[in-house]
Amino acid sequence: MMNFVEWCNNNQGFVGAILSFFTIMISIIALYISIRLAYIPYKKRLVINTYIDIIGNKYTLSLTVANAGNRIIGLNSIVVYNKNTYIGSVDKQGFIEPSHTCEFCVDLDLDIRDTKFDRDEQIEIKILDTEGKEYTFKTDFKLYPVKRTPK
């Protein structure tokens, strides 16, 4: 132990360089963490829940969009694709407050008599907000268990 103390006294420049290096590394880590924390209030995030219903001879997509972020999100358009082919959209625009939801009903351009779906097939939902950010969701083609008829 005494040899170590004597070595440190004789090599002050080396010990100072090591302490400076660790100080710089801790400063860089603290800067990175503070920058990451600064972006949290501006986080935008959408979550969706979907199911498909049969009304008459048409498929209808019921879509619930939740704002899981910390900012108000303005919805510009919602477009639905199946195998990269357009099958429906929503023309309604609106804003979703943080921790709130919005429900949409999309009439899909698919006739039940002409269309057969695999259980593994997915539909793609693209949501464009008013700031130009595009959210893309892929969801399984789930049919609602109850068959409804039009009113």
Side-chain angles (χ1 to χ4, degrees):
M1 183 70 171
M2 202 58 165
N3 290 337
F4 179 71
V5 172
E6 287 180 27
W7 184 85
C8 287
N9 285 336
N10 293 332
N11 297 300
Q12 292 177 7
F14 179 72
V15 174
I18 289 176
L19 290 175
S20 296
F21 173 75
F22 283 122
T23 303
I24 291 170
M25 291 306 295
I26 290 172
S27 298
I28 290 171
I29 291 169
L31 182 64
Y32 174 76
I33 290 171
S34 65
I35 289 172
R36 294 283 295 180
L37 290 176
Y39 283 110
I40 288 176
Y42 304 106
K43 181 179 164 189
K44 292 178 13 178
R45 182 169 171 240
L46 290 179
V47 178
I48 66 165
N49 187 17
T50 62
Y51 71 86
I52 295 180
D53 199 4
I54 300 172
I55 298 177
N57 289 330
K58 291 284 186 183
Y59 290 105
T60 301
L61 173 70
S62 294
L63 175 66
T64 304
V65 181
N67 182 352
N70 298 322
R71 295 178 50 196
I72 296 174
I73 297 177
L75 300 180
N76 203 15
S77 68
I78 300 173
V79 182
V80 182
Y81 296 95
N82 179 32
K83 297 179 184 173
N84 295 326
T85 304
Y86 169 87
I87 58 172
S89 65
V90 175
D91 296 329
K92 183 178 164 185
Q93 295 180 346
F95 292 91
I96 304 176
E97 300 269 340
S99 304
H100 286 78
T101 62
C102 239
E103 294 188 16
F104 300 97
C105 217
V106 183
D107 293 327
L108 303 179
D109 294 337
L110 301 171
D111 194 316
I112 192 167
R113 296 169 291 189
D114 301 335
T115 312
K116 298 286 184 207
F117 288 99
D118 298 330
R119 293 232 181 241
D120 298 330
E121 197 165 322
Q122 290 187 333
I123 57 174
E124 185 176 48
I125 300 164
K126 292 187 178 185
I127 300 174
L128 183 68
D129 72 9
T130 53
E131 295 177 3
K133 182 175 180 183
E134 186 177 87
Y135 305 85
T136 302
F137 301 94
K138 290 188 178 184
T139 183
D140 293 333
F141 190 84
K142 301 176 285 195
L143 282 174
Y144 192 66
V146 177
K147 214 176 197 181
R148 298 184 187 174
T149 55
K151 296 178 183 176

Coordinates of all heavy atoms in Angstrom, one line a residue, residues 56-126:
G56 N -73.6 -5.6 -44.3 CA -74.1 -6.0 -45.6 C -73.1 -6.9 -46.3 O -72.7 -7.9 -45.8
N57 N -72.7 -6.4 -47.5 CA -71.6 -7.1 -48.3 C -70.3 -6.4 -48.2 O -69.4 -6.7 -49.1 CB -72.1 -7.3 -49.7 CG -73.2 -8.3 -49.8 OD1 -73.3 -9.2 -49.0 ND2 -74.1 -8.1 -50.8
K58 N -70.1 -5.5 -47.3 CA -68.9 -4.7 -47.3 C -68.2 -4.9 -45.9 O -68.8 -5.2 -44.9 CB -69.2 -3.2 -47.4 CG -69.6 -2.9 -48.8 CD -68.5 -2.8 -49.8 CE -68.9 -2.3 -51.1 NZ -67.9 -2.4 -52.1
Y59 N -66.8 -4.7 -46.0 CA -66.0 -4.7 -44.8 C -66.0 -3.3 -44.3 O -65.8 -2.4 -45.1 CB -64.6 -5.2 -45.0 CG -64.5 -6.7 -45.3 CD1 -64.3 -7.1 -46.6 CD2 -64.6 -7.6 -44.3 CE1 -64.2 -8.5 -46.9 CE2 -64.5 -9.0 -44.6 CZ -64.3 -9.4 -45.9 OH -64.2 -10.7 -46.1
T60 N -66.0 -3.1 -42.9 CA -65.9 -1.8 -42.3 C -64.8 -1.9 -41.3 O -64.9 -2.8 -40.4 CB -67.2 -1.3 -41.7 OG1 -68.2 -1.2 -42.7 CG2 -67.0 0.1 -41.1
L61 N -63.8 -1.0 -41.3 CA -62.7 -1.0 -40.3 C -63.1 0.0 -39.2 O -63.3 1.2 -39.5 CB -61.4 -0.6 -41.0 CG -60.2 -0.4 -40.1 CD1 -59.8 -1.7 -39.5 CD2 -59.1 0.3 -40.8
S62 N -63.2 -0.5 -38.0 CA -63.4 0.4 -36.9 C -62.0 0.7 -36.3 O -61.3 -0.3 -35.9 CB -64.3 -0.2 -35.8 OG -65.6 -0.4 -36.3
L63 N -61.6 1.9 -36.2 CA -60.3 2.3 -35.8 C -60.3 3.3 -34.6 O -61.0 4.3 -34.7 CB -59.6 3.0 -37.0 CG -58.2 3.6 -36.8 CD1 -57.2 2.5 -36.6 CD2 -57.8 4.4 -38.1
T64 N -59.6 2.9 -33.6 CA -59.5 3.8 -32.4 C -58.1 4.3 -32.3 O -57.1 3.5 -32.3 CB -59.9 3.1 -31.1 OG1 -61.2 2.5 -31.2 CG2 -59.8 4.0 -29.9
V65 N -57.9 5.6 -32.4 CA -56.5 6.2 -32.4 C -56.4 6.9 -31.0 O -57.2 7.7 -30.6 CB -56.3 7.2 -33.5 CG1 -54.9 7.8 -33.5 CG2 -56.6 6.5 -34.9
A66 N -55.3 6.5 -30.3 CA -55.0 7.1 -29.0 C -53.7 7.9 -29.1 O -52.7 7.5 -29.6 CB -54.9 6.1 -27.9
N67 N -53.7 9.1 -28.5 CA -52.5 9.9 -28.4 C -51.7 9.5 -27.1 O -52.1 9.9 -26.0 CB -52.8 11.4 -28.4 CG -51.6 12.3 -28.4 OD1 -50.5 11.8 -28.2 ND2 -51.8 13.6 -28.5
A68 N -50.6 8.8 -27.2 CA -49.9 8.3 -26.1 C -48.6 9.2 -25.9 O -47.8 8.9 -25.1 CB -49.4 6.9 -26.3
G69 N -48.6 10.3 -26.6 CA -47.5 11.3 -26.4 C -47.8 12.4 -25.5 O -48.8 12.3 -24.7
N70 N -47.0 13.4 -25.5 CA -47.1 14.6 -24.6 C -47.6 15.8 -25.4 O -47.5 16.9 -24.8 CB -45.8 14.8 -23.9 CG -45.4 13.6 -23.1 OD1 -46.2 13.0 -22.5 ND2 -44.1 13.3 -23.1
R71 N -47.9 15.8 -26.6 CA -48.3 16.9 -27.4 C -49.6 16.7 -28.1 O -50.0 15.5 -28.3 CB -47.3 17.2 -28.5 CG -45.9 17.6 -28.1 CD -45.0 17.8 -29.2 NE -45.5 18.6 -30.2 CZ -45.0 18.7 -31.5 NH1 -44.0 18.0 -31.8 NH2 -45.5 19.5 -32.3
I72 N -50.3 17.7 -28.4 CA -51.5 17.6 -29.2 C -51.1 17.2 -30.6 O -50.2 17.8 -31.2 CB -52.3 18.9 -29.3 CG1 -52.8 19.3 -27.9 CG2 -53.5 18.9 -30.3 CD1 -53.5 20.7 -27.8
I73 N -51.8 16.2 -31.2 CA -51.5 15.7 -32.6 C -52.7 16.0 -33.5 O -53.8 15.6 -33.2 CB -51.2 14.2 -32.6 CG1 -49.9 14.0 -31.7 CG2 -51.0 13.7 -34.0 CD1 -49.5 12.5 -31.6
G74 N -52.4 16.7 -34.6 CA -53.5 17.0 -35.5 C -53.4 15.9 -36.6 O -52.4 15.7 -37.2
L75 N -54.6 15.3 -36.9 CA -54.6 14.2 -37.9 C -55.0 14.9 -39.2 O -56.0 15.6 -39.3 CB -55.6 13.2 -37.5 CG -55.3 12.4 -36.2 CD1 -56.4 11.4 -35.9 CD2 -54.0 11.8 -36.2
N76 N -54.3 14.5 -40.2 CA -54.5 15.1 -41.6 C -55.2 14.1 -42.5 O -56.2 14.4 -43.1 CB -53.2 15.5 -42.2 CG -53.4 16.6 -43.3 OD1 -54.5 17.1 -43.4 ND2 -52.4 16.8 -44.1
S77 N -54.7 12.8 -42.4 CA -55.4 11.8 -43.3 C -55.1 10.4 -42.7 O -54.1 10.2 -42.0 CB -54.9 11.8 -44.7 OG -53.5 11.5 -44.8
I78 N -56.0 9.5 -42.9 CA -55.8 8.1 -42.6 C -56.1 7.3 -43.8 O -57.2 7.4 -44.4 CB -56.8 7.7 -41.4 CG1 -56.5 8.5 -40.2 CG2 -56.6 6.2 -41.1 CD1 -57.5 8.3 -39.0
V79 N -55.2 6.4 -44.2 CA -55.3 5.6 -45.4 C -55.0 4.2 -45.1 O -54.1 3.9 -44.3 CB -54.3 6.1 -46.5 CG1 -54.5 5.3 -47.8 CG2 -54.5 7.6 -46.8
V80 N -55.8 3.3 -45.6 CA -55.7 1.8 -45.3 C -55.3 1.1 -46.6 O -55.9 1.3 -47.7 CB -57.0 1.3 -44.8 CG1 -56.9 -0.2 -44.4 CG2 -57.5 2.1 -43.6
Y81 N -54.3 0.2 -46.5 CA -53.8 -0.6 -47.6 C -53.8 -2.1 -47.3 O -53.7 -2.5 -46.1 CB -52.3 -0.2 -47.9 CG -52.1 1.2 -48.3 CD1 -51.8 2.2 -47.4 CD2 -52.2 1.5 -49.7 CE1 -51.5 3.5 -47.9 CE2 -52.0 2.8 -50.1 CZ -51.7 3.8 -49.2 OH -51.5 5.1 -49.6
N82 N -54.0 -2.9 -48.3 CA -53.9 -4.3 -48.2 C -53.0 -4.8 -49.3 O -53.4 -4.5 -50.5 CB -55.3 -5.0 -48.2 CG -55.2 -6.5 -48.1 OD1 -54.3 -7.0 -47.5 ND2 -56.1 -7.2 -48.8
K83 N -51.9 -5.4 -49.0 CA -50.9 -5.8 -50.0 C -50.5 -4.6 -50.9 O -50.5 -4.7 -52.2 CB -51.5 -6.9 -50.9 CG -51.8 -8.2 -50.1 CD -52.3 -9.3 -51.0 CE -52.7 -10.5 -50.2 NZ -53.4 -11.5 -51.0
N84 N -50.3 -3.5 -50.3 CA -49.9 -2.2 -51.0 C -50.9 -1.7 -52.0 O -50.6 -0.9 -52.9 CB -48.5 -2.4 -51.8 CG -47.4 -2.7 -50.8 OD1 -47.4 -2.1 -49.7 ND2 -46.4 -3.5 -51.2
T85 N -52.2 -2.1 -51.8 CA -53.3 -1.6 -52.6 C -54.2 -0.8 -51.7 O -54.6 -1.3 -50.7 CB -54.0 -2.8 -53.3 OG1 -53.1 -3.6 -54.0 CG2 -55.1 -2.3 -54.2
Y86 N -54.6 0.4 -52.2 CA -55.5 1.2 -51.4 C -56.8 0.5 -51.3 O -57.4 0.0 -52.2 CB -55.7 2.5 -52.2 CG -56.8 3.4 -51.7 CD1 -56.6 4.3 -50.7 CD2 -58.1 3.3 -52.2 CE1 -57.6 5.1 -50.2 CE2 -59.1 4.1 -51.7 CZ -58.9 5.0 -50.7 OH -59.9 5.8 -50.2
I87 N -57.3 0.5 -50.0 CA -58.7 -0.1 -49.8 C -59.6 0.8 -49.0 O -60.8 0.4 -48.8 CB -58.6 -1.5 -49.1 CG1 -57.9 -1.4 -47.8 CG2 -58.0 -2.5 -50.1 CD1 -57.9 -2.7 -47.0
G88 N -59.1 2.0 -48.6 CA -60.0 2.9 -47.9 C -59.3 4.0 -47.2 O -58.1 4.0 -47.0
S89 N -60.1 5.1 -46.8 CA -59.4 6.2 -46.2 C -60.5 7.0 -45.4 O -61.7 6.7 -45.5 CB -58.8 7.1 -47.2 OG -59.8 7.7 -48.0
V90 N -60.0 7.9 -44.5 CA -60.9 8.8 -43.8 C -60.6 10.2 -44.2 O -59.4 10.6 -44.2 CB -60.6 8.6 -42.2 CG1 -61.4 9.6 -41.4 CG2 -60.9 7.2 -41.8
D91 N -61.6 10.9 -44.5 CA -61.5 12.3 -44.9 C -61.5 13.3 -43.7 O -61.2 14.5 -43.9 CB -62.5 12.7 -45.9 CG -62.4 11.9 -47.2 OD1 -61.2 11.5 -47.5 OD2 -63.4 11.6 -47.9
K92 N -62.0 12.8 -42.6 CA -62.1 13.6 -41.4 C -60.8 14.0 -40.8 O -59.9 13.2 -40.6 CB -63.0 12.8 -40.4 CG -63.3 13.6 -39.2 CD -64.2 12.7 -38.3 CE -64.3 13.2 -36.9 NZ -65.0 12.2 -36.0
Q93 N -60.7 15.3 -40.5 CA -59.4 15.8 -39.9 C -59.8 16.2 -38.4 O -61.0 16.5 -38.1 CB -58.9 17.0 -40.6 CG -58.4 16.7 -42.0 CD -57.8 17.9 -42.7 OE1 -58.0 19.0 -42.3 NE2 -57.1 17.7 -43.8
G94 N -58.8 16.2 -37.6 CA -59.1 16.6 -36.2 C -57.8 16.6 -35.4 O -56.7 16.3 -35.8
F95 N -58.0 17.0 -34.1 CA -56.9 17.0 -33.2 C -57.2 16.1 -32.0 O -58.3 15.9 -31.6 CB -56.7 18.4 -32.6 CG -56.2 19.4 -33.7 CD1 -57.1 20.1 -34.4 CD2 -54.8 19.6 -33.9 CE1 -56.6 21.0 -35.4 CE2 -54.4 20.4 -34.8 CZ -55.3 21.2 -35.6
I96 N -56.1 15.4 -31.5 CA -56.2 14.5 -30.4 C -55.3 15.1 -29.3 O -54.1 15.2 -29.5 CB -55.8 13.1 -30.7 CG1 -56.6 12.6 -31.9 CG2 -56.0 12.2 -29.5 CD1 -56.2 11.2 -32.3
E97 N -55.9 15.4 -28.1 CA -55.2 15.8 -27.0 C -54.4 14.6 -26.4 O -54.7 13.5 -26.6 CB -56.1 16.3 -25.9 CG -57.0 17.5 -26.3 CD -56.4 18.8 -26.0 OE1 -55.5 18.8 -25.1 OE2 -56.8 19.8 -26.6
P98 N -53.3 14.9 -25.6 CA -52.6 13.8 -25.0 C -53.5 13.0 -24.1 O -54.4 13.6 -23.4 CB -51.5 14.6 -24.2 CG -51.3 15.8 -24.9 CD -52.7 16.2 -25.4
S99 N -53.3 11.7 -24.1 CA -54.1 10.8 -23.3 C -55.6 10.7 -23.7 O -56.4 10.2 -22.9 CB -54.0 11.1 -21.8 OG -52.7 11.1 -21.4
H100 N -55.9 11.1 -24.9 CA -57.3 11.0 -25.4 C -57.3 10.1 -26.6 O -56.3 9.8 -27.2 CB -57.9 12.4 -25.7 CG -58.2 13.2 -24.6 ND1 -57.2 13.9 -23.8 CD2 -59.4 13.5 -24.0 CE1 -57.8 14.5 -22.8 NE2 -59.1 14.3 -22.9
T101 N -58.6 9.7 -27.0 CA -58.7 8.8 -28.1 C -59.7 9.5 -29.1 O -60.5 10.3 -28.8 CB -59.3 7.4 -27.7 OG1 -60.5 7.6 -27.1 CG2 -58.3 6.7 -26.8
C102 N -59.7 9.0 -30.3 CA -60.6 9.3 -31.4 C -61.0 8.1 -32.1 O -60.2 7.2 -32.3 CB -59.9 10.3 -32.4 SG -60.7 11.8 -32.6
E103 N -62.3 7.9 -32.5 CA -62.7 6.7 -33.2 C -63.1 7.1 -34.6 O -63.7 8.1 -34.9 CB -63.9 6.1 -32.5 CG -63.5 5.6 -31.1 CD -64.6 4.8 -30.4 OE1 -65.5 4.4 -31.1 OE2 -64.5 4.5 -29.2
F104 N -62.7 6.2 -35.5 CA -63.0 6.4 -36.9 C -63.6 5.1 -37.5 O -63.3 4.0 -37.1 CB -61.8 6.8 -37.7 CG -61.1 8.0 -37.3 CD1 -60.0 8.0 -36.4 CD2 -61.5 9.2 -37.7 CE1 -59.4 9.1 -35.9 CE2 -60.9 10.4 -37.3 CZ -59.9 10.3 -36.4
C105 N -64.5 5.3 -38.5 CA -65.0 4.1 -39.2 C -64.6 4.3 -40.7 O -64.9 5.3 -41.3 CB -66.5 4.2 -39.1 SG -67.2 2.5 -38.9
V106 N -64.0 3.3 -41.2 CA -63.5 3.3 -42.6 C -64.2 2.2 -43.4 O -64.1 1.0 -43.1 CB -62.0 3.1 -42.7 CG1 -61.5 3.2 -44.1 CG2 -61.2 4.0 -41.8
D107 N -65.0 2.7 -44.4 CA -65.6 1.7 -45.3 C -64.6 1.2 -46.3 O -64.0 2.0 -47.1 CB -66.8 2.3 -46.1 CG -67.9 2.7 -45.2 OD1 -68.1 1.9 -44.2 OD2 -68.6 3.7 -45.4
L108 N -64.2 0.0 -46.3 CA -63.2 -0.6 -47.1 C -63.7 -0.9 -48.5 O -64.9 -1.4 -48.6 CB -62.6 -1.8 -46.5 CG -62.0 -1.6 -45.1 CD1 -61.4 -2.9 -44.5 CD2 -60.9 -0.6 -45.1
D109 N -62.9 -0.7 -49.5 CA -63.3 -0.9 -50.9 C -63.2 -2.4 -51.2 O -62.5 -2.8 -52.2 CB -62.5 -0.1 -51.9 CG -62.8 1.4 -51.7 OD1 -63.9 1.7 -51.2 OD2 -61.9 2.2 -52.1
L110 N -63.8 -3.3 -50.4 CA -63.7 -4.7 -50.6 C -65.1 -5.3 -50.5 O -65.8 -4.9 -49.6 CB -62.8 -5.4 -49.5 CG -61.4 -4.9 -49.5 CD1 -60.7 -5.5 -48.2 CD2 -60.6 -5.3 -50.7
D111 N -65.4 -6.1 -51.4 CA -66.7 -6.8 -51.4 C -66.5 -8.2 -50.8 O -65.6 -8.9 -51.2 CB -67.3 -6.9 -52.8 CG -68.8 -7.3 -52.7 OD1 -69.1 -8.2 -52.0 OD2 -69.6 -6.7 -53.5
I112 N -67.3 -8.5 -49.8 CA -67.1 -9.8 -49.1 C -67.3 -11.0 -50.0 O -66.7 -12.0 -49.8 CB -68.1 -9.9 -47.9 CG1 -67.7 -11.0 -47.0 CG2 -69.6 -10.0 -48.4 CD1 -68.4 -11.0 -45.7
R113 N -68.1 -10.8 -51.1 CA -68.2 -12.0 -52.0 C -67.0 -12.2 -52.9 O -66.8 -13.3 -53.4 CB -69.5 -11.7 -52.9 CG -70.8 -11.7 -52.1 CD -71.9 -11.2 -52.9 NE -71.6 -9.8 -53.1 CZ -72.5 -8.9 -53.7 NH1 -73.7 -9.4 -54.1 NH2 -72.2 -7.7 -53.9
D114 N -66.2 -11.1 -53.1 CA -65.1 -11.2 -54.0 C -63.8 -11.4 -53.3 O -62.8 -11.7 -53.9 CB -64.9 -9.9 -54.8 CG -66.2 -9.6 -55.6 OD1 -66.9 -10.6 -56.0 OD2 -66.4 -8.5 -55.9
T115 N -63.8 -11.2 -52.0 CA -62.5 -11.2 -51.2 C -62.4 -12.3 -50.2 O -63.3 -12.5 -49.4 CB -62.4 -9.8 -50.5 OG1 -62.7 -8.8 -51.4 CG2 -61.0 -9.7 -50.0
K116 N -61.3 -13.0 -50.2 CA -61.0 -14.0 -49.2 C -59.7 -13.6 -48.5 O -58.7 -13.2 -49.2 CB -60.8 -15.4 -49.8 CG -62.1 -15.9 -50.5 CD -63.1 -16.4 -49.5 CE -64.3 -17.0 -50.2 NZ -65.5 -16.9 -49.5
F117 N -59.7 -13.7 -47.2 CA -58.5 -13.3 -46.5 C -57.9 -14.5 -45.7 O -58.6 -15.3 -45.2 CB -58.8 -12.2 -45.5 CG -59.1 -10.9 -46.1 CD1 -60.4 -10.4 -46.3 CD2 -58.0 -10.1 -46.5 CE1 -60.6 -9.2 -46.9 CE2 -58.3 -8.8 -47.1 CZ -59.6 -8.4 -47.3
D118 N -56.5 -14.5 -45.7 CA -55.9 -15.5 -44.9 C -55.8 -15.0 -43.4 O -55.9 -13.8 -43.2 CB -54.4 -15.6 -45.3 CG -54.3 -16.2 -46.8 OD1 -55.2 -16.9 -47.2 OD2 -53.3 -15.8 -47.5
R119 N -55.7 -15.9 -42.5 CA -55.6 -15.4 -41.1 C -54.3 -14.7 -40.8 O -54.3 -13.9 -39.9 CB -55.7 -16.7 -40.2 CG -57.1 -17.3 -40.2 CD -57.6 -17.5 -38.8 NE -58.9 -18.1 -38.9 CZ -60.0 -17.5 -38.4 NH1 -59.9 -16.3 -37.9 NH2 -61.1 -18.1 -38.5
D120 N -53.3 -15.0 -41.6 CA -52.0 -14.3 -41.3 C -51.8 -13.0 -42.1 O -50.8 -12.3 -41.9 CB -50.8 -15.3 -41.8 CG -50.8 -16.6 -41.0 OD1 -51.3 -16.5 -39.8 OD2 -50.4 -17.6 -41.5
E121 N -52.8 -12.7 -42.8 CA -52.7 -11.4 -43.6 C -52.8 -10.2 -42.8 O -53.5 -10.2 -41.8 CB -53.9 -11.4 -44.7 CG -53.7 -10.5 -45.8 CD -54.6 -10.8 -46.9 OE1 -54.9 -11.9 -47.2 OE2 -55.1 -9.8 -47.5
Q122 N -52.1 -9.2 -43.2 CA -52.1 -7.9 -42.4 C -52.6 -6.8 -43.3 O -52.3 -6.8 -44.5 CB -50.7 -7.6 -41.9 CG -50.2 -8.5 -40.8 CD -48.9 -8.0 -40.2 OE1 -48.1 -7.4 -40.8 NE2 -48.7 -8.4 -38.9
I123 N -53.2 -5.8 -42.7 CA -53.5 -4.6 -43.4 C -52.6 -3.5 -42.8 O -52.1 -3.6 -41.7 CB -55.0 -4.2 -43.2 CG1 -55.4 -4.0 -41.7 CG2 -55.9 -5.1 -43.9 CD1 -56.8 -3.5 -41.5
E124 N -52.3 -2.5 -43.6 CA -51.4 -1.4 -43.3 C -52.2 -0.1 -43.2 O -53.0 0.2 -44.1 CB -50.3 -1.3 -44.3 CG -49.3 -0.3 -44.0 CD -48.1 -0.3 -45.0 OE1 -48.4 -0.2 -46.2 OE2 -47.0 -0.3 -44.6
I125 N -52.0 0.6 -42.1 CA -52.8 1.8 -41.8 C -51.7 2.9 -41.7 O -50.8 2.8 -40.9 CB -53.6 1.7 -40.5 CG1 -54.6 0.6 -40.6 CG2 -54.3 3.1 -40.2 CD1 -55.2 0.2 -39.3
K126 N -51.9 4.0 -42.6 CA -50.9 5.1 -42.6 C -51.7 6.3 -42.1 O -52.7 6.7 -42.7 CB -50.3 5.3 -43.9 CG -49.4 4.2 -44.3 CD -48.6 4.5 -45.6 CE -47.7 3.4 -45.9 NZ -46.9 3.7 -47.1

